[in-house]
């Protein structure tokens, strides 16, 4: 199928995950890292914990740790992780929080989604987030002029524009 003229084809996709941690539950973090490993080319772990010692698990191949020694805020930690991902040759970055539990098909479906929308107007793509404790999906936020609308999108299958995507 030919690529529409407004879509910029990427010949080689190099996805690097950026996982920001803050006092993580090591077992949950290890499960996250194991789930990401077969889906991405590399993982950058940004330890945002206030300590002199990293609280992340042993690093596996294709993982690196940026230990900040203090909580610099999630935005700053994500920016540092994305800068490292860029140095490592990322074409795409997957942002994760320390307690995210991504499905095994997360990364494989993202290029299809990205190809289905105009890359001139898209800054990020993501999936619906489900709270594992309550089973509820996080409402999506859409802006209509000056008003904000919460959209409960259970069962949504087509991409829709939203104002923000949670990182976890």
């Amino acid at each position: 199928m030919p690529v529409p003229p407004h879509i910029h084809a990427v010949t080689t996709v190099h996805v690097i995950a950026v996982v920001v941690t803050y006092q993580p539950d090591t077992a949950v973090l290890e499960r996250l890292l194991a789930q990401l490993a077969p889906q991405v080319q590399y993982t950058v772990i940004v330890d945002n914990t206030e300590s002199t010692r990293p609280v992340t698990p042993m690093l596996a191949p294709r993982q690196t740790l940026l230990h900040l020694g203090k909580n610099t805020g999630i935005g700053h930690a994500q920016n540092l992780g994305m800068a490292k991902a860029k140095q490592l040759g990322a074409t795409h970055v997957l942002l994760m929080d320390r307690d995210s539990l991504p499905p095994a098909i997360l990364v494989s479906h993202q290029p299809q989604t990205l190809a289905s929308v105009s890359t001139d107007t898209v800054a990020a793509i993501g999936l619906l987030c489900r709270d594992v404790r309550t089973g509820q999906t996080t409402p999506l936020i859409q802006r209509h002029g000056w008003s904000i609308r919460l959209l409960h999108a259970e069962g949504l299958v087509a991409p829709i524009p939203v104002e923000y995507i949670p990182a976890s």
Side-chain angles (χ1 to χ4, degrees), residues 6 11 13 37 48 52 57 65 73 79 83 91 95 105 125 146 150:
H6 67 281
T11 54
V13 175
N48 216 12
T52 56
L65 172 67
N79 286 338
T91 58
L95 295 175
I105 52 105
I125 57 174
W146 289 97
L150 293 181

Side-chain angles (χ1 to χ4, degrees), residues 46-100:
V46 184
D47 186 0
N48 216 12
T49 303
E50 300 156 338
S51 74
T52 56
R53 205 177 103 222
V55 293
T56 54
M58 294 289 290
L59 294 178
R62 300 183 300 116
Q63 292 178 348
T64 192
L65 172 67
L66 301 177
H67 177 63
L68 305 182
K70 62 181 178 176
N71 186 347
T72 64
I74 190 166
H76 184 253
Q78 287 174 334
N79 286 338
L80 292 174
M82 288 186 287
K84 182 65 174 177
K86 185 176 179 182
Q87 288 176 354
L88 293 167
T91 58
H92 297 78
V93 174
L94 174 65
L95 295 175
M96 292 274 125
D97 206 3
R98 70 188 182 276
D99 57 356
S100 300

Side-chain angles (χ1 to χ4, degrees), residues 15-21 32-33 36 40 42-46 74-86 90 92-103 106-107 110 123-127 129 164-168:
V15 180
I16 295 182
V18 173
V19 178
V20 176
T21 66
L32 163 64
L33 296 175
L36 286 175
V40 299
Y42 208 89
T43 301
V44 177
I45 304 159
V46 184
I74 190 166
H76 184 253
Q78 287 174 334
N79 286 338
L80 292 174
M82 288 186 287
K84 182 65 174 177
K86 185 176 179 182
H92 297 78
V93 174
L94 174 65
L95 295 175
M96 292 274 125
D97 206 3
R98 70 188 182 276
D99 57 356
S100 300
L101 294 173
L106 176 66
V107 175
Q110 298 307 316
I125 57 174
L127 298 176
C129 293
Y164 104 109
I165 300 170
S168 64

